[in-house]
Amino acid sequence: MNILPGSMRFGAGQPVKRLEDKRLVTGHGGYLDDKPADGALWLVIMRSPHAHADIVSIDAEAAKAMPGVESVLTGADLVADDIGTIPTLPIFKRPDGSPMALPPRRLLAHEKVRFVGEPVAAVIATSRDAAQAAIEAIVVDYKELPAVTDPTAAIQPGAPVVYETAPDNIVAAMSYGDAAKVDEAFAKAAHTVSLDIVSQRLIPSAMEPRATIAEIEKKTGRLILHVQSQTPAQTRDALADAILKRPKESIQVLVGDIGGGFGMKTGVYPEDALVAYAAVKLGKKIRWRGDRTDEFVGGTHGRDLTSTASIALDAKGKVLAYRVTSIGGTGAYLAGAGVIIPLVLGPFVQTGVYDLPLVHFDIKAVMTHTAPVGAYRGAGRPEAVYIIERLMDAAARQLKMDPRAIRKANYIKPTQLPYTNAVGQVYDSGAFAHLMERAAELSDWDGFKARKKEAQKKGLLYGRGVTSYIEWTGGRAHTENVKLHATAEGRIVLHSATQAMGQGLETTYSQMIAEALDIPIEKIDVVQGNTDLAQGFGSVGSRSLFVGGTAVAVSTVDMIAKAREKAANILEASIEDIEYSGGTLTIAGTDRKISLFEIAAKEKGARLSVDTTGEVDGPSWPNGAHICEIEVDPETGVSRVVRYTTVDDVGNAVNPMLVAGQIHGGVAQGVGQALYENAAYNDDGQLLTASYQDYCIPRADNLPPINVTLDPSAPCKTNPLGAKGCGESGAIGGPPCIVSGVLDALAPLGVTALNTPLTPEKVWRAIQDAKAAQAA
């Protein structure tokens, strides 16, 4: 971990308004589809209408002869040109110890299709309309095959096989803990609680659909790829090494403003690589832009975890053992972290904020004939926290305990920190019981009974949800590189490989630099999304601030050190006598001085530059407590969140206003997961929720005011800023809190278990069934 000078300031705690907003809200954002046409050809994708089929033949002759058509591409063309597949890390094993199944993810299907929406052919034409018309003229002869869309059905004997190297459809498996000791603890326990829990498949809904533009630079022959990517350098490297098989230096990836990422814009999609390949093959500028249907059927989805979970408790509510058996759906192909999410990221936080050393987790990643599952806000952690929080609530109800009390009996205590959880992850800091106490106070816990009575007078059911969550952020990438420049024109320019996608990095980095260098914030330019200027891991797993921000902070220290050395030479003084303040370097006790920007003017290229690597000691562990109150209309089954309070530990918040915004957004997505959203396939593999007519997301009037309080009492110890990630926290704490509230409202009727989404129909039917059971 980098050590920063104690006297340095890095802008912590200031609610600076977003610098990006003037550009973004006035229509001057640099979004990809807004780029001028410049004579580019349009690429349009033909997608499979079948979930599983052999491709007998493709007849594209009529399409090739249509007006404006320049080329038609099929999977056979790409195979002939030795175009590679999208890479996946083969780091796991199947249950029998054999290597994990690795179905090759081709840019266009070759010989077989494995999900509805898989790209089969591409038309390149002078206009999007011409390309779309030509797509309709392509004739594909398919031989349909049986399909399986439910991961639990996919592992049953005789289920249709997705890929031949996994005849049981199990891609890979992982196990944690000691099954025998857990079984022994269950046999002796005073109480046991079990639940079947589903975190349903979700479809990410970024405001900006994916788009790609590729062209060949005339002077150099380099491939220039404009793409929406949270990880520009990784996108370049995968494209160069695995797909196009050309030197990395021959490709430049450029990323502008991104209208939402949420993890689903991580890595290379087939469409991105197809556009790049077409640009190289034809030597022309090519562009593609997806419709919402392309995103629904062809983009990555999230979640899709089915679990059976149990806890064994003593008479006082202390958990003695915890076991979970899970099946994580991967879809037909392995997208990026699609296997890592259920097998690793979930288990890392599956014990939550509780001292549960005796566990057994068994997880299988399973293929189905559906769109691939990839990273989506939280990526494994929402599913895992949801499991333990649902069990805590069920246990509290069974033991007739206050939901806070059962959590308090099991919280990791401050004296146990740093704490190593059951799967070897080290929590460096946290004050879990303290956060719940603050949340209870701020939510007016004692006023709940009166509010419930008022709701009952209106004929409504009323419940309260409680959740404690923890989040693992940063991935395995604990370093990040930045370049910081002072220019002769009087500006500070930062080059970073982290990527803004709505989280306000331009503002946060600028305020850190302004505070550290003691210069006006309007003199700072933050440049991201250019692989020629910066290479790094990018923005995934809420790592941008605590890893990328560490690099920014260290770069300002390096800049001052380098400027002092240069000033000492110019002013002919000892470096120890050079003082820095407000962009000026002065010989102590004299009026002899030189500005940072005057020094830059004397440098090669008229800029003073430092190339800095920031390093942290490990992941950060943001956590918090959420409390909500829910009204349920028994006549319609409609659930409405009426109050929502959070107390969140993100360590030292550089910009509390931006953090609160991130938590708001995460909670909104949590409301969607809990009450509305569900990616539903039928048995034939057709996506029944392929548009917003059938896939429901929350709107503004579905959300209550969200009272966010940040608690800085336990700063992170793995990075010099004391900061913890914050971008995914709301999406982790939100779903269990809301489901807890709905079930609390329904509990007097005897309804204690429902799987999400808790749609009005599902809730209404549960109420009717409960009333019928009571009447009987």
Side-chain angles (χ1 to χ4, degrees):
M1 181 175 75
N2 302 102
I3 305 298
L4 301 176
S7 59
M8 290 290 286
R9 296 174 298 170
F10 297 99
Q14 300 304 310
V16 175
K17 290 185 178 179
R18 284 168 43 114
L19 304 175
E20 302 92 329
D21 283 351
K22 183 176 180 180
R23 178 179 82 252
L24 298 179
V25 303
T26 59
H28 293 90
Y31 297 106
L32 191 46
D33 197 43
D34 291 332
K35 285 187 173 294
D38 289 339
L41 300 175
W42 276 92
L43 183 145
V44 171
I45 302 290
M46 180 185 190
R47 299 183 182 277
S48 170
H50 304 295
H52 192 201
D54 288 328
I55 300 174
V56 179
S57 65
I58 299 177
D59 183 354
E61 293 308 308
K64 292 176 181 178
M66 291 182 70
V69 173
E70 299 245 346
S71 181
V72 177
L73 301 174
T74 67
D77 296 320
L78 274 66
V79 170
D81 285 350
D82 193 30
I83 298 301
T85 59
I86 296 175
T88 300
L89 292 174
I91 57 177
F92 298 105
K93 299 288 186 182
R94 286 182 17 86
D96 61 3
S98 62
M100 66 183 278
L102 281 172
R105 182 79 194 274
R106 300 185 183 277
L107 311 187
L108 292 172
H110 181 54
E111 298 178 344
K112 190 184 289 288
V113 292
R114 292 184 172 87
F115 70 95
V116 171
E118 183 171 6
V120 173
V123 170
I124 300 158
T126 52
S127 72
R128 198 164 186 262
D129 288 343
Q132 187 64 55
I135 284 289
E136 304 298 328
I138 299 174
V139 178
V140 183
D141 183 9
Y142 294 101
K143 178 185 177 183
E144 285 191 66
L145 300 169
V148 62
T149 60
D150 181 349
T152 59
I155 61 173
Q156 300 304 314
V161 175
V162 178
Y163 189 65
E164 47 272 18
T165 61
D168 52 8
N169 291 318
I170 299 174
V171 177
M174 286 286 285
S175 183
Y176 301 82
D178 189 322
K181 289 184 178 179
V182 166
D183 290 345
E184 184 180 342
F186 267 82
K188 297 177 180 178
H191 303 278
T192 62
V193 178
S194 297
L195 290 173
D196 292 325
I197 297 173
V198 176
S199 284
Q200 77 276 21
R201 181 181 280 237
L202 304 178
I203 299 175
S205 293
M207 290 181 69
E208 182 189 22
R210 290 179 295 125
T212 311
I213 299 174
E215 58 188 317
I216 303 300
E217 194 172 51
K218 291 181 180 179
K219 290 183 179 180
T220 64
R222 296 178 79 208
L223 170 65
I224 312 300
L225 183 71
H226 303 264
V227 67
Q228 299 170 26
S229 175
Q230 298 171 218
T231 55
Q234 291 187 63
T235 295
R236 181 202 65 175
D237 294 354
L239 197 59
D241 295 341
I243 300 170
L244 298 184
K245 303 172 185 176
R246 56 189 288 162
K248 295 176 185 177
E249 296 74 22
S250 71
I251 300 175
Q252 181 184 23
V253 171
L254 295 172
V255 181
D257 291 314
I258 300 180
F262 310 121
M264 57 86 70
K265 291 179 180 174
T266 302
V268 180
Y269 276 88
E271 296 90 343
D272 304 328
L274 266 176
V275 171
Y277 161 69
V280 173
K281 186 177 182 69
L282 301 181
K284 296 183 179 180
K285 188 173 185 177
I286 311 290
R287 69 186 302 160
W288 169 83
R289 187 253 300 151
D291 289 330
R292 282 295 173 188
T293 298
D294 290 302
E295 296 289 61
F296 275 76
V297 303
T300 57
H301 295 171
R303 313 292 187 251
D304 201 359
L305 187 79
T306 301
S307 305
T308 296
S310 307
I311 49 175
L313 307 99
D314 68 15
K316 296 182 178 180
K318 181 73 174 76
V319 176
L320 305 174
Y322 177 31
R323 62 185 173 203
V324 184
T325 301
S326 294
I327 295 173
T330 69
Y333 298 98
L334 313 182
V339 181
I340 297 172
I341 289 166
L343 298 189
V344 176
L345 301 189
F348 275 4
V349 301
Q350 201 150 265
T351 55
V353 294
Y354 308 112
D355 181 19
L356 311 179
L358 193 55
V359 307
H360 181 233
F361 304 150
D362 185 82
I363 315 105
K364 295 179 177 65
V366 175
M367 288 185 287
T368 56
H369 293 105
T370 58
V373 172
Y376 178 54
R377 201 170 195 167
R381 287 92 82 198
E383 302 94 299
V385 168
Y386 184 65
I387 293 170
I388 187 61
E389 288 303 298
R390 286 284 310 279
L391 285 169
M392 283 292 175
D393 275 345
R397 189 170 290 114
Q398 182 171 313
L399 274 65
K400 296 180 172 55
M401 292 179 69
D402 183 312
R404 296 170 300 170
I406 197 166
R407 287 171 169 84
K408 185 177 180 180
N410 289 284
Y411 280 136
I412 298 162
K413 297 175 177 57
T415 54
Q416 293 176 276
L417 295 166
Y419 175 85
T420 302
N421 72 10
V423 297
Q425 297 304 298
V426 180
Y427 301 176
D428 66 290
S429 58
F432 312 124
H434 165 70
L435 297 191
M436 179 58 77
E437 290 168 3
R438 286 202 69 191
E441 179 184 354
L442 291 168
S443 71
D444 184 24
W445 185 275
D446 293 337
F448 170 75
K449 288 183 179 179
R451 292 188 292 275
K452 182 170 184 173
K453 186 176 293 186
E454 286 300 310
Q456 289 172 333
K457 288 180 182 178
K458 301 174 186 176
L460 300 173
L461 305 173
Y462 201 80
R464 173 167 53 197
V466 178
T467 284
S468 287
Y469 76 87
I470 195 164
E471 142 85 313
W472 175 87
T473 73
R476 299 281 191 174
H478 298 154
T479 63
E480 191 66 40
N481 178 260
V482 300
K483 297 178 177 67
L484 191 65
H485 313 274
T487 74
E489 294 78 24
R491 303 200 66 77
I492 299 293
V493 181
L494 175 74
H495 293 155
S496 171
T498 57
Q499 185 59 50
M501 50 187 153
Q503 69 274 57
L505 292 182
E506 181 180 333
T507 302
T508 305
Y509 288 168
S510 293
Q511 70 183 91
M512 292 175 67
I513 295 167
E515 184 81 1
L517 297 184
D518 192 19
I519 61 171
I521 198 168
E522 59 268 19
K523 289 183 177 289
I524 298 165
D525 301 310
V526 175
V527 180
Q528 298 174 291
N530 187 331
T531 55
D532 280 2
L533 300 178
Q535 294 85 42
F537 195 76
S539 290
V540 295
S542 299
R543 70 182 297 274
S544 298
L545 192 279
F546 92 91
V547 184
T550 291
V552 171
V554 176
S555 75
T556 62
V557 175
D558 290 349
M559 175 63 76
I560 291 174
K562 189 169 185 177
R564 289 181 66 221
E565 180 182 345
K566 296 285 184 179
N569 290 332
I570 295 168
L571 299 175
E572 298 180 338
S574 170
I575 191 170
E576 289 79 13
D577 293 332
I578 300 296
E579 297 177 341
Y580 176 90
S581 178
T584 299
L585 296 106
T586 306
I587 300 176
T590 76
D591 59 359
R592 295 184 62 205
K593 58 188 177 182
I594 186 170
S595 80
L596 180 63
F597 307 111
E598 288 174 322
I599 294 173
K602 298 177 182 295
E603 293 291 300
K604 183 179 180 181
R607 57 174 51 193
L608 181 66
S609 303
V610 293
D611 189 332
T612 296
T613 297
E615 183 175 3
V616 302
D617 282 350
S620 77
W621 298 93
N623 60 90
H626 290 203
I627 298 175
C628 72
E629 294 180 16
I630 310 279
E631 291 177 347
V632 178
D633 185 342
E635 299 301 318
T636 64
V638 171
S639 303
R640 190 166 74 93
V641 186
V642 294
R643 294 169 66 93
Y644 204 103
T645 302
T646 86
V647 178
D648 298 280
D649 169 13
V650 300
N652 295 330
V654 173
N655 190 316
M657 181 176 66
L658 299 187
V659 172
Q662 287 289 300
I663 292 170
H664 271 241
V667 170
Q669 285 174 292
V671 170
Q673 179 173 340
L675 300 181
Y676 304 111
E677 300 184 45
N678 181 34
Y681 286 90
N682 68 11
D683 291 342
D684 293 329
Q686 297 295 327
L687 183 63
L688 301 178
T689 53
S691 76
Y692 289 126
Q693 289 183 312
D694 301 297
Y695 187 88
C696 184
I697 60 174
R699 301 176 182 232
D701 61 356
N702 299 128
L703 303 172
I706 301 170
N707 177 17
V708 177
T709 299
L710 304 182
D711 189 298
S713 60
C716 186
K717 297 180 180 180
T718 63
N719 69 83
L721 301 176
K724 303 177 184 180
C726 70
E728 297 160 293
S729 296
I732 296 167
C737 186
I738 294 157
V739 172
S740 171
V742 174
L743 291 177
D744 187 53
L746 300 179
L749 300 176
V751 179
T752 58
L754 285 174
N755 277 321
T756 53
L758 305 185
T759 60
E761 180 187 8
K762 188 180 293 183
V763 171
W764 182 85
R765 289 189 182 280
I767 292 170
Q768 301 312 307
D769 291 346
K771 287 180 177 178
Q774 288 179 348

